[in-house]
Amino acid sequence: MVILSPSLLAADFTVLGEQIKMVEAGGCDYFHFDVMDGMFVPNISFGIPVLESVRRATRKVLDVHLMVQAPERYIDKFADAGADIITIHQEACDCIDKTLDHIHARGLKAGLAIKPDTYTGVLKEYYGSADMFLVMTVEPGFGGQKYMDKCTGKVRSLRKDLTDAGLDTDIQVDGGITRENIEVVLDVGANVIVMGSSVFSGDIRANAAYFTDLFQKRNRDQKGSMS
Ligand code: DX5
Ligand code: ZN
């Protein structure tokens, strides 16, 4: 199933609650929440108190992307603040198995992310234990960057490898996804689509509705082809 996860990093924080409602009016499944620590990535964004506020503003799935060194330190804090999914970076964590288990023990879904230069093969040993793999399609740290074309092949090969292993684990893509390249990432097998600028620039409600309609059509077509 194709899922829209608008990234709150691109929202106007002075009116965050209103913008969440505008997105919801257009339609979405998740909200993507980008946490940056100024160490794993060169930028600092927002964290636990902001997630608590967002939790009060929406019932949608909160998809927390930890761009944080040693993320195992913060699993309980983000779980308590209302996360539904917590994604950690392969490059940032020395105890991935234990941390995925910890996320599951809190009753949440666990994601594992890689940066554009990390080989997808490193994910293999976590095929059974992660609920979602995030393939970054820009260098993490900033919204509004250009999609890196070299990532298309990575998503394709990860999807093929998962299918060969008999799995249909979610593949999330994050960074530079637009109306122009959305079909490309869907065609190679990504199904959880993060979008910041493409949802929050211009008419937020109309943007969310545009992608929701497109994804619903995809989901219907896929259902049709399976029956
Ligand atoms: C980048 C973040 C992204 C970012 C995407 O480090 O992980 O989630 O907000 O923003 P756009 O869609 O504008 O590239
Ligand atoms: Zn993100």
Side-chain angles (χ1 to χ4, degrees):
M1 201 172 80
V2 183
I3 285 169
L4 173 61
S5 189
S7 171
L8 294 173
L9 187 65
D12 177 347
F13 305 132
T14 62
V15 283
L16 185 54
E18 286 168 35
Q19 297 212 335
I20 286 172
K21 294 295 166 225
M22 283 185 218
V23 175
E24 287 182 343
C28 74
D29 305 287
Y30 296 179
F31 280 105
H32 186 80
F33 190 86
D34 283 308
V35 182
M36 302 179 185
D37 67 350
M39 288 290 286
F40 180 66
V41 290
N43 199 7
I44 296 177
S45 58
F46 40 62
I48 294 144
V50 179
L51 186 64
E52 285 169 350
S53 296
V54 170
R55 179 72 291 168
R56 289 194 293 273
T58 182
R59 301 171 77 98
K60 299 285 180 190
V61 170
L62 296 182
D63 159 33
V64 174
H65 176 194
L66 294 184
M67 285 164 275
V68 170
Q69 200 61 43
E72 62 276 10
R73 297 173 295 155
Y74 290 104
I75 303 306
D76 282 324
K77 293 253 189 297
F78 282 99
D80 290 344
D84 295 296
I85 303 172
I86 297 181
T87 297
I88 59 166
H89 266 268
Q90 185 272 343
E91 307 88 348
C93 187
D94 291 331
C95 49
I96 296 172
D97 277 316
K98 210 173 121 204
T99 308
L100 296 177
D101 284 350
H102 186 174
I103 297 169
H104 284 141
R106 291 297 314 251
L108 313 182
K109 285 194 173 178
L112 186 60
I114 51 171
K115 299 205 276 186
D117 286 333
T118 302
Y119 170 55
T120 51
V122 302
L123 300 175
K124 203 163 191 140
E125 60 180 295
Y126 307 104
Y127 276 8
S129 45
D131 302 294
M132 179 170 81
F133 293 111
L134 164 52
V135 177
M136 287 302 300
T137 45
V138 297
E139 274 307 325
F142 300 92
Q145 303 181 73
K146 194 179 167 313
Y147 177 84
M148 296 169 84
D149 289 316
K150 68 176 182 186
C151 298
T152 306
K154 298 180 67 172
V155 175
R156 185 190 289 114
S157 71
L158 178 59
R159 178 53 75 202
K160 182 182 179 310
D161 209 47
L162 285 166
T163 305
D164 290 348
L167 296 168
D168 67 347
T169 312
D170 288 332
I171 299 182
Q172 182 169 62
V173 283
D174 183 6
I177 314 288
T178 63
R179 293 186 190 213
E180 284 66 46
N181 61 22
I182 182 67
E183 301 281 353
V184 174
V185 292
L186 294 176
D187 286 346
V188 291
N191 73 303
V192 183
I193 313 298
V194 177
M195 273 184 276
S197 324
S198 296
V199 168
F200 287 95
S201 307
D203 186 334
I204 295 174
R205 184 182 191 281
N207 293 334
Y210 173 88
F211 290 110
T212 297
D213 289 352
L214 185 79
F215 294 178
Q216 281 176 350
K217 185 172 178 308
R218 278 261 173 174
N219 290 334
R220 273 197 305 273
D221 290 351
Q222 207 177 15
K223 228 176 174 177
S225 71
M226 282 189 323
S227 56

